[in-house]
Amino acid sequence: AAPYTRQPMRAFAAYRGLLRNRPLSKLLGGEFVSAIGDWLYIVGILVVIYRETGDPTLLGVFGALRTLPYVVLSIPAGIIVDRFDRRLILLVTDLARGACMLGMAVLVATDGPVVAIIALSIVAAGFSTFFYPAIGAYLPSLVRDERELGPANSAWSSLDNIGFIVGPALGGLLVATGGVTFAFVINALTFIVIAVVLWTLPPSRAGHTKPDGATAPELKTTAPDAAAPVEAGPASGDLRPIVRSLAGIGLLHFAGYAISGGIPVLTVLLATETLKAGEAATGLLNTAIGVGGVAGAVASGALVLRRR
């Protein structure tokens, strides 16, 4: 039973060690605040569009339009992230999205046209397209060694899902009290918070993967055993193993986003039309999804520490 009792302790130590990495812990904390604002905004804008139009078809069209920037800009975003400072890209995207949120807050407060609100939301989604590859490339530059990368990714996912709980719950409260405009204002403020955090962090470009002043723990190495069989790598120029791996990951992401992309739209209709629970229940339904997300993130966090 000893190995099984040591496993949770090793997992706890691995995640506790992230707190000693100050740049990494600052980034994770800032992104947690930003995640709360993001999910709060999603609830707010869906409620606003459905309240102003009452058209579920338009709500579905909006959900589809918000995904177009991810389809069109994903490849250019990856190229730019590979060539420029990832921290600077994150900083620009957060400030730009914060400006979009303030613009939407003004439109909602002044009963501006729904088309303008949708247009600003699509612009914000365009900047988000650059955010996700940038944060994925920036995290490895902040870890102190490869063993810290798995727990760092798992912690980021867990905090994002906790934000999925807090943000929609707060959004439901604001909708219930008639303060949906503040959903956009609060999200704008969270972008300012993460921008301040990013300003204090080290830069990162391709080929430079260690933060300034960070030192990796000394790893014990042993000379290769001459008698041990040497695994043959892929033949020079043979990209088929890499392509197969990337294709599998790509299909998983496509299937996941194809399903999850429509869920926020459905929650509005479920809350208002099916359950007759009012607009505020949209936040509660999304909060329930966030609870499931946290459970999944915790389980994956335990699995990522296994040898296989």
Side-chain angles (χ1 to χ4, degrees), residues 33 98 102 184-194:
V33 173
L102 289 177
F184 302 92
V185 175
I186 293 172
N187 195 26
L189 293 176
T190 65
F191 283 124
I192 295 175
V193 169
I194 187 59

Side-chain angles (χ1 to χ4, degrees), residues 116-212:
I117 296 173
I118 292 175
L120 273 178
S121 178
I122 294 172
V123 172
F127 285 105
S128 296
T129 306
F130 290 83
F131 167 82
Y132 288 105
I135 190 73
Y138 190 47
L139 271 178
S141 72
L142 296 181
V143 299
R144 293 168 294 188
D145 66 75
E146 187 178 349
R147 293 171 298 183
E148 204 172 56
L149 182 57
N153 279 311
S154 180
W156 177 41
S157 177
S158 299
L159 291 172
D160 184 64
N161 281 290
I162 294 173
F164 200 166
I165 295 175
V166 179
L170 181 57
L173 180 62
L174 290 176
V175 170
T177 57
V180 69
T181 303
F182 289 104
F184 302 92
V185 175
I186 293 172
N187 195 26
L189 293 176
T190 65
F191 283 124
I192 295 175
V193 169
I194 187 59
V196 172
V197 170
L198 287 166
W199 186 259
T200 66
L201 296 179
S204 168
R205 297 184 65 175
H208 302 276
T209 57
K210 189 183 295 183
D212 296 339

Side-chain angles (χ1 to χ4, degrees), residues 1-283:
Y4 295 98
T5 57
R6 287 198 299 266
Q7 182 67 22
M9 297 302 297
R10 286 199 298 267
F12 179 75
Y15 289 99
R16 187 178 58 186
L18 298 179
L19 297 175
R20 294 194 292 269
N21 186 338
R22 186 166 177 78
L24 179 61
S25 59
K26 287 170 63 176
L27 178 67
L28 292 175
E31 289 301 335
F32 172 58
V33 173
S34 182
I36 293 175
D38 286 342
W39 293 114
L40 168 62
Y41 150 72
I42 290 295
V43 171
I45 192 168
L46 291 174
V47 167
V48 166
I49 292 174
Y50 191 65
R51 176 188 294 175
E52 295 297 323
T53 66
D55 187 354
T57 302
L58 181 60
L59 202 61
V61 170
F62 166 71
L65 288 176
R66 281 191 71 250
T67 64
L68 282 181
Y70 295 96
V71 176
V72 176
L73 298 176
S74 289
I75 293 178
I79 294 172
I80 290 175
V81 166
D82 194 47
R83 294 186 178 182
F84 297 97
D85 181 3
R86 287 83 181 256
R87 185 198 63 137
L88 182 60
I89 294 172
L90 290 171
L91 190 59
V92 171
T93 58
D94 283 332
L95 291 175
R97 289 186 293 173
C100 291
M101 295 303 130
L102 289 177
M104 282 185 273
V106 172
L107 289 171
V108 172
T110 58
D111 293 324
V114 175
V115 173
I117 296 173
I118 292 175
L120 273 178
S121 178
I122 294 172
V123 172
F127 285 105
S128 296
T129 306
F130 290 83
F131 167 82
Y132 288 105
I135 190 73
Y138 190 47
L139 271 178
S141 72
L142 296 181
V143 299
R144 293 168 294 188
D145 66 75
E146 187 178 349
R147 293 171 298 183
E148 204 172 56
L149 182 57
N153 279 311
S154 180
W156 177 41
S157 177
S158 299
L159 291 172
D160 184 64
N161 281 290
I162 294 173
F164 200 166
I165 295 175
V166 179
L170 181 57
L173 180 62
L174 290 176
V175 170
T177 57
V180 69
T181 303
F182 289 104
F184 302 92
V185 175
I186 293 172
N187 195 26
L189 293 176
T190 65
F191 283 124
I192 295 175
V193 169
I194 187 59
V196 172
V197 170
L198 287 166
W199 186 259
T200 66
L201 296 179
S204 168
R205 297 184 65 175
H208 302 276
T209 57
K210 189 183 295 183
D212 296 339
T215 56
E218 184 179 350
L219 300 178
K220 294 182 179 180
T221 59
T222 57
D225 186 356
V230 178
E231 294 184 4
S236 177
D238 184 8
L239 298 179
R240 285 177 296 179
I242 299 175
V243 171
R244 281 197 296 266
S245 299
L246 291 178
I249 295 173
L251 285 173
L252 285 173
H253 275 279
F254 175 79
Y257 281 110
I259 295 171
S260 63
I263 288 178
V265 175
L266 289 175
T267 55
V268 178
L269 301 177
L270 285 171
T272 57
E273 301 295 334
T274 305
L275 301 177
K276 307 295 184 183
E279 295 172 340
T282 302

